[in-house]
Amino acid sequence: MESTSLPELLGPEAKKATGWLIALSIVMILTGIVAIAMPGISSVTFTLILGWLLLFNGIVRIVNSFRSKPIRGFWLSLIVGILYAISGVIVISNPIGAVLTLTWLFGFLLIFEGIVTIISAFVNKTGRSLAWLLGLDGVITLILGILVLSQWPQSAIWLIGLYIGISILMSGLSLLVVALSTRRAIQQTSVEA
């Protein structure tokens, strides 16, 4: 059986593909930095994108409910589609109110997650030696939720945009590391071959 080197296996497209991944990761990193630097604008922008996605999803569901009318669940699909579309219109027509609502809900979500995580640290039998780490995670999450709600509505100005910015930045950094590592591996195996 003949062994095939990595560059031969991936072909010349691999270098081109990693180039595109590197470019995409740089755009993501820059987008993340901008979102972190301007969290208010990022919060509203993300919320508007969410509103348009809800509206589009609602329209698709409504159309699909009529296309698949003979199948069971027509009314349920239609109602869900209408609710998605209405939600999208509400978010698009009042993005500031939507940002406030999402931040408030996010604060409660963090509090709930923190409480559940703390309880899991005491109840869960697996990984007992690391239960303290799970408990610490729960306490920090609970504190973050309390901070978000105690600073609400001011926290709405920065919270969503900051979190989205951090997420995009970290995704861009990890994609860059993977792309550079892949390119380096291809170059090393082609030199060895």
Side-chain angles (χ1 to χ4, degrees):
M1 186 163 83
E2 193 176 311
S3 68
T4 308
S5 69
L6 187 62
E8 290 172 354
L9 183 66
L10 297 175
E13 295 85 24
K15 187 173 182 180
K16 185 177 179 181
T18 56
W20 281 107
L21 287 177
I22 291 168
L24 175 63
S25 65
I26 291 170
V27 169
M28 290 175 72
I29 291 168
L30 294 174
T31 303
I33 291 170
V34 169
I36 292 168
M38 298 187 296
I41 294 170
S42 302
S43 294
V44 172
T45 302
F46 170 75
T47 304
L48 283 170
I49 291 169
L50 177 65
W52 283 106
L53 288 173
L54 288 168
L55 178 60
F56 179 73
N57 189 6
I59 292 169
V60 168
R61 284 177 177 262
I62 291 168
V63 170
N64 191 43
S65 68
F66 283 105
R67 291 185 66 208
S68 60
K69 196 172 183 177
I71 301 173
R72 294 178 108 182
F74 164 75
W75 287 107
L76 184 60
S77 294
L78 181 64
I79 291 169
V80 169
I82 290 170
L83 290 174
Y84 265 103
I86 290 171
S87 299
V89 169
I90 290 170
V91 169
I92 293 166
S93 65
N94 188 4
I96 303 299
V99 167
L100 288 168
T101 304
L102 286 173
T103 303
W104 186 76
L105 290 171
F106 194 65
F108 277 108
L109 175 68
L110 288 173
I111 289 172
F112 181 74
E113 180 186 354
I115 292 168
V116 168
T117 305
I118 292 168
I119 292 169
S120 293
F122 290 105
V123 174
N124 204 349
K125 300 295 182 204
T126 57
R128 199 72 183 139
S129 63
L130 295 176
W132 67 271
L133 187 59
L134 189 60
L136 179 63
D137 176 28
V139 169
I140 291 170
T141 304
L142 178 63
I143 291 170
L144 285 173
I146 292 169
L147 287 173
V148 166
L149 289 182
S150 69
Q151 298 295 314
W152 190 85
Q154 292 82 7
S155 60
I157 297 169
W158 56 267
L159 181 79
I160 295 173
L162 180 67
Y163 279 27
I164 295 295
I166 291 170
S167 177
I168 293 171
L169 175 65
M170 295 309 295
S171 295
L173 287 171
S174 62
L175 183 61
L176 181 62
V177 168
V178 168
L180 290 174
S181 296
T182 303
R183 181 173 274 192
R184 195 173 306 115
I186 292 169
Q187 289 172 344
Q188 285 176 348
T189 55
S190 65
V191 168
E192 293 170 3

